Amino acid sequence: MSTLRDLAEEHTHLRPADIDHLHRIAGDWQLLSDLSFADLLLWVPVDADGTFLCVAQVRPTTAPTAYQDDQVGRIIGGPEVAHLGVAYSQGRIWREGDPVWYGDVPARHEAIPVRLRTAEGEAGDVIAVVGRDTNLSTARTPSQLELNYLTTADDLAQMIADGTFPPPRHPGETTSAPRVGDGLVRLDAGGKVTYASPNAQSAYRRLGYASHLVGEDLAVLHRRLAGDPLDGTEAANGILAALRGEAPPRREIDARGATMLTRALPLMPAGVPIGALVLVRDITEVRRRDRALITKDATIREIHHRVKNNLQTVAALLRLQARRVAMPEARVALEESVRRVASIALVHETLSMSSDEAVEFDGIVDRVASAATEVAATEVSVGMRRQGSFGVLPAEIATSLVMVLNELLLNAVEHGFPPADETADETDAGPAGVSTADASGRPEVVVSAHRFRKMLHVSVTDNGRGLPPDFDAERASRLGLQIVRALVTGELRGTIELRAGANGGTEALLVVPLARSAPDGRSQV
């Protein structure tokens, strides 16, 4: 299904600012739909002959829908849209007419013109129409709650026609909460509560206020209830701002171990401030879980930090031992172990600064590649380059993959570009016996990565002397290659291939699945 913007750009001549305003309405109109107990449909004119296109729809959570089928994308004209035409051409809310039938569902039509206010704050031209269609099959005598809902809905409808609803959204705010069903409080122009829904009354009871809210000055009550005086002042100022016609950001009130989220909206139909609408939601359990997650995340990061410190200590001990060993072979083996431990410590260092069990792997690869050129036993100056991006990898993949890349990079530098005297002794022609370079004559190792269908494809390519003619990766006795094969086929559940490069040198190809199998057999990333 096409989006609101796609439909509007394809079928209308609305300006980008007009479409943005329609998006804001569609982002906030669940409130109006629930208060109205009605479906809302956003209609835009298509042609001058009175044809309209539905670009958005929302159903109420407080009443049955009038439409079983989705109306978005529907184009209608003629007598069926007469009420839309009146609202659009005359710029007024249309409420006349008899009920209409959709199949066996009777419905009442209303049409609300949509205006976008000008930069000077004046009401602009009508750019669309909101159809408010109520299912009448369950009509009954309205309760006090329903009467207050409908009265507030009419005020908001008039504000849409005036171009003052919805208010500007504050950075970082979503439209998911609080909603009408969470708790609703209506204030008069003086800030006194004229109505509070049962859920709103329960939310305030959690904060320690056991009396009825009706008649209370809500700003004063917020200041009195809040456990933190600063929070109480901010919550009270939000109520006062809404009474002045402003749209303050949402506030939280903490008291007696409970937390309540509040959203205050000004009510000013026809530009006259008549009070405010305050939506409240008890989010005590949500904040408790947030605090538990923050504590858990901090604990995990501290564990990674300590693991990194312990690995660095192990590397230091191995380095100290290497300096005291007289046998060159033993010293080389210990120094290789130091590098392997250091590469794992690098992953844990990154995880200790991350908010989850995943790391941006590109930075780790760049650091490992830089270290490989510095510590490799070769006299040749080898350049390192990365192509593509590894992206974000989970910790269980990153830890094994960094060891694999560390071994491949060291092998590429040390065996692809051996010391000059060793190269001079080679007598075989071709890539197995003669050192090559890139077009610029510079020895180079390139690490490439890309993702395709939940698989990570990695290549480590050098332009060095290449593989020996009798090389067999399966029978190679080098510890580094044995580690690589064990990690790739075991921990990473992937494949690896070592082969001669297309233009000389050596190429190592890795394919690693990014979706891991969960204990229940399902895949997880």
Side-chain angles (χ1 to χ4, degrees):
M1 177 60 67
S2 299
T3 64
L4 187 160
R5 186 176 299 277
D6 293 336
L7 291 169
E9 290 178 347
E10 180 180 356
H11 296 280
T12 74
H13 299 288
L14 292 174
R15 302 168 301 170
D18 298 334
I19 298 176
D20 288 342
H21 184 62
L22 298 184
H23 264 291
R24 287 193 295 272
I25 289 177
D28 236 342
W29 67 349
Q30 184 70 60
L31 169 64
L32 178 59
S33 176
D34 291 343
L35 290 171
S36 303
F37 306 101
D39 292 74
L40 301 182
L41 287 76
L42 186 56
W43 299 94
V44 294
V46 177
D47 297 314
D49 59 358
T51 302
F52 285 84
L53 165 69
C54 180
V55 295
Q57 176 185 3
V58 64
R59 293 180 172 89
T61 61
T62 52
T65 179
Y67 299 96
Q68 296 301 321
D69 298 326
D70 191 78
Q71 302 296 302
V72 176
R74 183 184 177 199
I75 299 178
I76 57 176
E80 192 175 1
V81 297
H83 61 299
L84 302 178
V86 171
Y88 183 77
S89 61
Q90 299 182 15
R92 66 176 180 87
I93 297 178
W94 185 92
R95 291 191 175 95
E96 304 87 37
D98 297 326
V100 295
W101 290 80
Y102 295 106
D104 57 353
V105 177
R108 181 177 63 247
H109 272 329
E110 295 179 68
I112 306 165
V114 177
R115 285 186 174 89
L116 172 62
R117 299 189 76 81
T118 65
E120 293 76 21
E122 299 178 356
D125 296 330
V126 177
I127 60 174
V129 178
V130 171
R132 183 163 61 168
D133 301 335
T134 307
N135 185 333
L136 299 178
S137 61
T138 58
R140 60 185 185 274
T141 303
S143 64
Q144 184 184 12
L145 179 146
E146 291 169 329
L147 289 173
N148 277 278
Y149 277 20
L150 293 171
T151 300
T152 305
D154 288 343
D155 293 335
L156 294 179
Q158 184 59 54
M159 291 172 66
I160 288 180
D162 298 337
T164 57
F165 184 87
R169 191 176 302 170
H170 295 272
E173 286 189 346
T174 64
T175 58
S176 59
R179 292 189 174 185
V180 170
D182 296 324
L184 177 145
V185 179
R186 175 151 181 157
L187 309 180
D188 61 19
K192 298 293 183 65
V193 177
T194 60
Y195 175 77
S197 69
N199 283 346
Q201 191 73 54
S202 297
Y204 278 93
R205 190 178 297 273
R206 291 289 301 275
L207 294 180
Y209 185 76
S211 302
H212 290 291
L213 287 168
V214 175
E216 287 289 332
D217 187 317
L218 199 63
V220 174
L221 181 62
H222 281 187
R223 188 178 288 111
R224 189 169 72 242
L225 288 177
D228 186 333
L230 180 59
D231 289 344
T233 299
E234 290 182 348
N237 290 341
I239 300 296
L240 297 176
L243 294 173
R244 294 193 301 267
E246 303 171 13
R250 299 170 194 186
R251 304 291 186 187
E252 292 185 10
I253 302 177
D254 293 299
R256 299 182 59 180
T259 305
M260 185 176 71
L261 177 64
T262 68
R263 183 190 184 192
L265 294 169
L267 294 177
M268 43 187 305
V272 179
I274 62 171
L277 174 67
V278 181
L279 300 173
V280 300
R281 180 184 180 187
D282 181 3
I283 58 171
T284 304
E285 186 63 21
V286 174
R287 288 296 172 260
R288 187 193 66 79
R289 292 177 181 176
D290 288 345
R291 288 190 291 269
L293 287 174
I294 291 173
T295 302
K296 178 182 177 182
D297 289 342
T299 302
I300 292 174
R301 287 198 297 271
E302 178 62 21
I303 290 172
H304 284 301
H305 180 72
R306 295 188 181 187
V307 170
K308 182 262 296 184
N309 289 344
N310 290 338
L311 289 173
Q312 289 179 338
T313 301
V314 171
L317 292 173
L318 291 173
R319 192 178 296 111
L320 182 62
Q321 185 67 40
R323 292 171 184 169
R324 294 174 176 268
V325 172
M327 297 178 58
E329 295 83 356
R331 185 183 303 110
V332 170
L334 288 171
E335 289 174 349
E336 289 178 351
S337 297
V338 169
R339 293 194 292 268
R340 289 164 185 147
V341 172
S343 66
I344 301 175
L346 184 59
V347 174
H348 285 282
E349 179 183 5
T350 306
L351 287 169
S352 69
M353 298 180 289
S354 174
S355 60
D356 53 20
E357 287 293 284
V359 294
E360 282 282 357
F361 202 68
D362 290 345
I364 294 177
V365 173
D366 294 342
R367 292 174 64 179
V368 170
S370 177
T373 59
E374 294 175 359
V375 303
T378 180
E379 300 174 357
V380 182
S381 176
V382 181
M384 287 284 181
R385 182 162 54 92
R386 174 173 53 82
Q387 292 180 337
S389 175
F390 288 81
V392 177
L393 296 181
E396 63 269 22
I397 293 179
T399 304
S400 299
L401 186 58
V402 72
M403 288 191 65
V404 170
L405 291 176
N406 180 64
E407 297 296 333
L408 292 176
L409 289 168
L410 284 171
N411 280 342
V413 175
E414 293 182 348
H415 301 289
F417 309 96
D421 55 350
E422 182 179 334
T423 305
D425 293 337
E426 299 288 352
T427 57
D428 295 333
V434 180
S435 178
T436 62
D438 61 5
S440 64
R442 179 172 181 256
E444 186 178 46
V445 178
V446 180
V447 182
S448 302
H450 73 277
R451 297 185 179 211
F452 181 69
R453 293 181 179 177
K454 294 186 178 181
M455 304 291 285
L456 178 64
H457 297 257
V458 183
S459 69
V460 179
T461 307
D462 67 70
N463 56 5
R465 67 175 182 172
L467 295 170
D470 57 348
F471 178 78
D472 185 351
E474 296 297 328
R475 298 180 181 178
S477 59
R478 296 173 186 165
L479 177 60
L481 290 179
Q482 292 178 358
I483 291 175
V484 167
R485 286 202 307 273
L487 289 175
V488 172
T489 59
E491 295 295 326
L492 296 176
R493 303 174 189 174
T495 61
I496 182 170
E497 178 186 0
L498 292 175
R499 66 188 186 187
N503 299 314
T506 305
E507 185 176 26
L509 300 176
L510 286 80
V511 180
V512 177
L514 295 174
R516 315 304 295 269
S517 296
D520 59 2
R522 294 179 296 179
S523 64
Q524 58 183 3
V525 177

